[in-house]
């Protein structure tokens, strides 16, 4: 059976901030991923799955269960590291990043992998069946309805995202492997909130709502019907736009290492975080990294005030201190006042 073409990313009407957040994480996987919150039927899952068609190819070790980067010795799995120490050469292939699904119903063993204890005891060999986290290394891990995940799975996910490593231990036998992944989650707030510990692990959060203008809603309907009528022709029509996005991502990846993060940018980010009373330091760091990535996406090596403001929109609201049942809302008058003050003193 022929595989149906994915709905093109560039065919999604509106939702510009959601699309921008996803593109930024393609350019810079170190941003910490994104949580997309919104009512049902607002293209959340469609956008994430469509991202797969925009992913660029990268080098990885051939036949490695964990997609190891042959150019980064520090992040190799045990098998690849052992070959390197023994002076053996391993095959290298190019393959695109992938979107790896983590179902809400997934058990802990399915997520982290499982060890064959009997073989370990009888033969002294570690037999490991890789889980979802193994496949997600150097890829995007997508969790739909992330707020409905089992608490045990959430704890495992938190540990792996924080350490960049997944460790499985059973009956005194343990194995570890790299789990450096970009976490992308979608959720409908009406179905329940997200644990603060997991919420903070998302580098950025964006909220989406359905289109409110008649013309925009009409276009959503027309495009969806056209896609369902002939997915191949619809995807082909948007391929030139898809290629433009791919090239912009490629250019941004090349520019990103050259972006200058000056003291003024860092100082401004710190002032914004203090004034808005955000918890911890992760917000400041993410804001600066996001601003740098926005600059690269804009083809620049300098960070502007506009970059910082847009970064604040994505990195701060979900980290603002708030009382129970009170939603975090970003007071942009404070952000704008700080940015204006910095401009006047420049």
């Amino acid at each position: 059976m022929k595989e149906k073409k994915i709905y093109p990313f560039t065919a999604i009407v509106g939702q510009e901030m959601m699309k921008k957040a996803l593109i930024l994480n393609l350019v810079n996987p170190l941003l910490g991923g994104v949580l997309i919150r919104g009512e049902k039927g607002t293209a959340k899952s469609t956008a994430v799955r469509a991202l797969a068609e925009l992913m660029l190819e990268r080098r990885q070790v051939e036949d490695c269960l964990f997609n190891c980067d042959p150019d980064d010795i520090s992040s190799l799995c045990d098998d690849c590291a052992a070959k390197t120490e023994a002076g053996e050469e391993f095959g290298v292939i190019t393959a695109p990043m992938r979107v790896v699904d983590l179902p809400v119903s997934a058990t802990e063993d399915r997520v982290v992998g499982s060890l064959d204890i009997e073989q370990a005891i009888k033969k002294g060999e570690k037999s490991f069946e890789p889980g979802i986290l193994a496949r997600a290394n150097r890829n995007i891990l997508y969790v739909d309805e992330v707020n409905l995940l089992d608490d045990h799975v959430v704890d495992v996910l938190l540990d792996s995202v924080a350490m960049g490593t997944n460790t499985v231990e059973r009956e005194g036998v343990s194995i570890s492997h790299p789990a450096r992944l970009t976490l992308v989650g979608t959720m409908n707030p009406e179905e329940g909130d997200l644990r603060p510990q997991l919420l903070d692990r998302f580098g950025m959060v964006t909220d989406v709502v359905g289109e409110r203008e008649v013309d925009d809603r009409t276009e959503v309907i027309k495009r969806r019907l056209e896609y369902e009528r002939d997915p191949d022709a619809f995807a082909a029509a948007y391929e030139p736009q898809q290629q433009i996005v791919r090239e912009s991502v490629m250019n941004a990846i090349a520019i990103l290492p050259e972006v200058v993060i000056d003291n003024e940018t860092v100082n401004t980010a710190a002032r914004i975080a203090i004034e808005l009373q955000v918890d911890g330091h992760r917000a400041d760091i993410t804001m600066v990294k996001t601003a740098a990535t926005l600059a690269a996406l804009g083809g620049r090596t300098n960070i502007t005030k506009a970059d910082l403001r847009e970064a604040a929109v994505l990195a701060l609201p979900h980290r603002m201190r708030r009382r129970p049942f009170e939603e975090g809302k970003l007071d942009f008058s404070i952000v704008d006042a700080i940015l204006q003050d910095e401009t006047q003193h420049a």
Side-chain angles (χ1 to χ4, degrees), residues 122-175:
K122 288 183 177 179
K123 300 182 179 180
E125 299 174 354
K126 293 181 180 179
S127 178
F128 178 61
E129 181 67 31
I132 292 172
L133 288 177
R135 298 200 307 275
N137 186 46
R138 301 183 68 214
N139 287 310
I140 288 177
L141 180 64
Y142 173 48
V143 191
D144 191 15
E145 299 181 317
V146 63
N147 51 323
L148 303 182
L149 269 181
D150 183 85
D151 282 350
H152 292 299
V153 175
V154 169
D155 291 337
V156 167
L157 207 53
L158 286 172
D159 289 342
S160 296
V161 171
M163 304 300 295
T165 303
N166 175 43
T167 300
V168 185
E169 186 170 354
R170 299 287 186 273
E171 307 296 334
V173 179
S174 67
I175 188 169

Side-chain angles (χ1 to χ4, degrees), residues 29-178:
L30 299 179
L31 289 180
V34 58
L35 173 65
I36 304 169
R37 303 183 296 198
E39 59 198 39
K40 54 185 178 293
T42 48
K44 300 187 297 297
S45 298
T46 299
V48 179
R49 299 190 192 287
L51 202 62
E53 294 295 314
L54 300 178
M55 292 177 176
L56 307 178
E57 294 207 336
R58 44 79 189 283
R59 284 160 52 87
Q60 64 185 51
V61 177
E62 188 176 16
D63 297 326
C64 176
L65 296 172
F66 314 107
N67 317 299
C68 279
D69 182 355
D71 303 313
D72 184 4
I73 296 177
S74 65
S75 67
L76 294 177
C77 68
D78 289 346
D79 287 345
C80 290
K83 289 180 181 179
T84 300
E85 292 174 4
E88 298 180 31
E89 292 187 3
F90 34 61
V92 176
I93 61 172
T94 57
M97 287 178 66
R98 293 181 297 150
V99 175
V100 178
D101 285 294
L102 194 163
V104 169
S105 59
T107 61
E108 185 177 339
D109 279 352
R110 185 179 174 192
V111 174
V112 303
S114 57
L115 278 166
D116 188 334
I117 301 302
E118 185 176 351
Q119 182 166 333
I121 294 174
K122 288 183 177 179
K123 300 182 179 180
E125 299 174 354
K126 293 181 180 179
S127 178
F128 178 61
E129 181 67 31
I132 292 172
L133 288 177
R135 298 200 307 275
N137 186 46
R138 301 183 68 214
N139 287 310
I140 288 177
L141 180 64
Y142 173 48
V143 191
D144 191 15
E145 299 181 317
V146 63
N147 51 323
L148 303 182
L149 269 181
D150 183 85
D151 282 350
H152 292 299
V153 175
V154 169
D155 291 337
V156 167
L157 207 53
L158 286 172
D159 289 342
S160 296
V161 171
M163 304 300 295
T165 303
N166 175 43
T167 300
V168 185
E169 186 170 354
R170 299 287 186 273
E171 307 296 334
V173 179
S174 67
I175 188 169
S176 297
H177 69 77

Side-chain angles (χ1 to χ4, degrees), residues 162-233:
M163 304 300 295
T165 303
N166 175 43
T167 300
V168 185
E169 186 170 354
R170 299 287 186 273
E171 307 296 334
V173 179
S174 67
I175 188 169
S176 297
H177 69 77
R180 294 178 172 87
L181 51 92
T182 299
L183 184 61
V184 175
T186 53
M187 61 176 277
N188 183 347
E190 295 176 356
E191 297 173 347
D193 214 342
L194 197 63
R195 281 173 56 181
Q197 299 95 323
L198 183 54
L199 182 61
D200 185 53
R201 290 297 176 183
F202 286 99
M204 51 187 71
V205 168
T206 180
D207 294 294
V208 296
V209 296
E211 299 299 328
R212 295 293 183 254
E213 297 295 328
V214 173
D215 289 346
D216 292 335
R217 291 182 80 97
T218 299
E219 189 62 26
V220 170
I221 298 169
K222 288 169 61 178
R223 291 188 188 185
R224 189 69 203 185
L225 293 176
E226 188 179 343
Y227 168 72
E228 292 178 357
R229 188 161 48 246
D230 191 340
D232 290 342

Side-chain angles (χ1 to χ4, degrees), residues 269-334:
R271 284 190 60 195
I272 291 173
I274 291 170
E275 289 293 327
L276 293 174
Q277 296 185 327
V278 297
D279 291 325
H281 298 287
R282 190 173 283 119
D284 318 39
I285 297 168
T286 303
M287 184 167 33
V288 171
K289 287 161 61 175
T290 301
T293 309
L294 282 163
L297 196 57
R300 293 174 281 103
T301 57
N302 65 299
I303 298 173
T304 66
K305 302 299 180 187
D307 292 329
L308 263 179
R309 190 183 194 280
E310 192 169 359
V313 175
L314 293 166
L316 298 186
H318 61 299
R319 294 190 170 99
M320 291 176 61
R321 192 173 304 157
R322 59 190 187 273
R323 293 183 293 273
F325 308 112
E326 178 187 28
E327 291 188 15
K329 292 189 187 245
L330 186 55
D331 187 346
F332 274 107
S333 64
I334 296 176

